[in-house]
Amino acid sequence: MRRITRIATVGIASAALALSATACGGKKSSDASSSPSESGQKSAAIAYDIGGRGDQSFNDAAYAGLKKAETDLKIKGAEAEPTDGEGEADKVQRLTELARKGNNPVIGVGFAYAPAIKKVAPKFPKTTFGIIDDTSVTGENIANLVFNEEQGSYLAGVAAAKASKTGTVGFIGGVEVPLIKKFEAGFAQGVKDTNPNAKVLSAYLTQPPNFDGFAKPDLGKAAAQGQLDAGADVIYAAAGLAGSGAIEAASAKGKWAIGVDSDQYNQAGLAKYKDSILTSVTKDVSDSVFNLIKSVEDGKPTTGEIRYGLDKDGVGLADSNPKYKEMTDVIAAVEKAKADIIAKKITVKTAP
């Protein structure tokens, strides 16, 4: 796998996690490898969101899709990492370089790439650009890969309410933006529909334009500790790399954590805390990336809005933890809620 910039390396402890988010090294964008036209091999590229590869969550899910494409479609994969405190111009340069080198498609991982894709996509009309978690920017060569996060979060709320012994649960959002508020809305609704007397504590780590809340595990850990001290015994964090800190805090107190985006029970960097990860709200980012790459390889690039919900298993709730599988009442409640959402008996809110 070719890399464009640094590779984040995530350790188990929060200090190591935080270090990985800020470490620099490896190739700079200007040192990128030879283009596909030079090697004669087709190539697809992804540009990572805040936290980079190794976040055990959102970015790693995108990487898994690229890796699958490398294996199954025999293409070359290119990756580009973000830099701390970067601006729109940096993203524009990153996407431009990836497209100029012949990568197709070029996928921006996260809504933060919307302004950059709006500028770059028209300059490369024969290249398909994908953007995950955004529908604000459209074009003939743009694919919007979006998810019903609120639906998966609703199921997490049901599980949290059923598993909680104190009747108090916590939600931690990385940055207070509309996308993350979808997670909060679904979770809180699932909790309240399951136990109207339950208390939901909510906290956001940072406010835009400060997006550190997606990248710093120490912020997630501190927020989770505060909620645990207030009586919460289940913590759900939608905060990217920062969510690792919340998982660590819950584990230290012997309480439950709920992961996000990837099945975090199975993430190697979180192995020390896996027994405390009750479940995870999954987004099939991996398949969305792979499917877009395959559509280009098949000569029929997919563009426009491509939505993944419960009805297509585009979002869901992981059951990897054996302790979760033993909770038959929790599983039954979650399955009923899933069926009711798909049948449109339950409409899940997208804002608190």
Side-chain angles (χ1 to χ4, degrees):
M1 168 94 31
R2 300 277 188 169
R3 301 305 302 277
I4 304 299
T5 54
R6 64 153 177 95
I7 296 177
T9 304
V10 180
I12 291 176
S14 282
L17 284 162
L19 178 61
S20 74
T22 57
C24 296
K27 295 182 179 180
K28 297 180 180 179
S29 295
S30 59
D31 299 325
S33 58
S34 61
S35 67
S37 60
E38 293 171 338
S39 66
Q41 184 179 16
K42 292 183 178 180
S43 179
I46 55 177
Y48 290 115
D49 199 7
I50 297 166
R53 176 142 76 87
D55 66 351
Q56 314 296 316
S57 185
F58 185 53
N59 289 297
D60 281 3
Y63 168 70
L66 182 64
K67 192 67 177 176
K68 177 176 168 60
E70 281 193 307
T71 301
D72 293 1
L73 306 178
K74 308 304 179 185
I75 66 162
K76 182 173 71 172
E79 305 167 69
E81 293 277 3
T83 56
D84 293 335
E86 70 179 21
E88 181 184 324
D90 298 294
K91 292 181 173 63
V92 168
Q93 181 181 1
R94 183 175 305 123
L95 296 178
T96 298
E97 182 177 355
L98 291 171
R100 187 176 289 150
K101 286 185 172 293
N103 295 293
N104 191 16
V106 173
I107 303 172
V109 183
F111 62 85
Y113 279 97
I117 285 181
K118 185 177 181 179
K119 288 185 177 181
V120 177
K123 298 178 182 179
F124 298 89
K126 294 183 179 180
T127 300
T128 298
F129 287 82
I131 181 166
I132 301 174
D133 287 346
D134 180 85
T135 58
S136 69
V137 56
T138 59
E140 293 183 358
N141 61 332
I142 297 174
N144 307 90
L145 312 177
V146 291
F147 301 82
N148 292 117
E149 295 92 354
E150 73 281 359
Q151 295 179 349
S153 296
Y154 183 99
L155 301 185
V158 173
K162 296 288 288 185
S164 176
K165 296 179 180 179
T166 65
T168 299
V169 301
F171 171 81
I172 297 172
V175 182
E176 192 167 2
V177 292
L179 173 67
I180 304 304
K181 293 184 83 68
K182 288 174 65 180
F183 287 87
E184 179 190 5
F187 180 70
Q189 185 180 346
V191 171
K192 290 292 187 177
D193 284 356
T194 305
N195 178 8
N197 296 318
K199 185 176 182 180
V200 181
L201 305 176
S202 293
Y204 284 88
L205 303 180
T206 60
Q207 297 290 321
N210 179 1
F211 286 85
D212 285 352
F214 289 133
K216 296 189 175 182
D218 58 324
L219 297 180
K221 182 177 180 180
Q225 287 173 334
Q227 292 182 343
L228 292 163
D229 290 343
D233 59 352
V234 184
I235 304 289
Y236 172 40
L241 180 62
S244 302
I247 291 172
E248 180 187 353
S251 177
K253 293 286 188 179
K255 307 300 182 184
W256 288 119
I258 295 178
V260 75
D261 292 338
S262 297
D263 182 355
Q264 295 194 296
Y265 179 85
N266 288 324
Q267 292 295 312
L270 297 172
K272 183 177 180 179
Y273 316 116
K274 64 188 297 182
D275 289 343
S276 295
I277 302 175
L278 177 66
T279 181
S280 295
V281 175
T282 57
K283 289 170 57 173
D284 204 354
V285 173
S286 174
D287 266 9
S288 74
V289 168
F290 175 82
N291 291 341
L292 182 58
I293 295 172
K294 188 175 188 302
S295 76
V296 173
E297 290 299 297
D298 290 343
K300 298 179 181 179
T302 304
T303 57
E305 181 178 311
I306 307 161
R307 182 166 293 278
Y308 294 84
L310 277 180
D311 57 340
K312 298 179 181 178
D313 290 325
V315 296
L317 211 59
D319 63 356
S320 299
N321 191 334
K323 294 179 183 178
Y324 176 78
K325 291 179 181 178
E326 294 172 1
M327 300 178 180
T328 54
D329 59 330
V330 175
I331 292 176
V334 167
E335 288 301 314
K336 183 180 185 305
K338 178 180 178 179
D340 286 347
I341 292 171
I342 293 174
K344 299 184 179 180
K345 294 180 181 179
I346 295 175
T347 301
V348 186
K349 300 176 182 177
T350 56

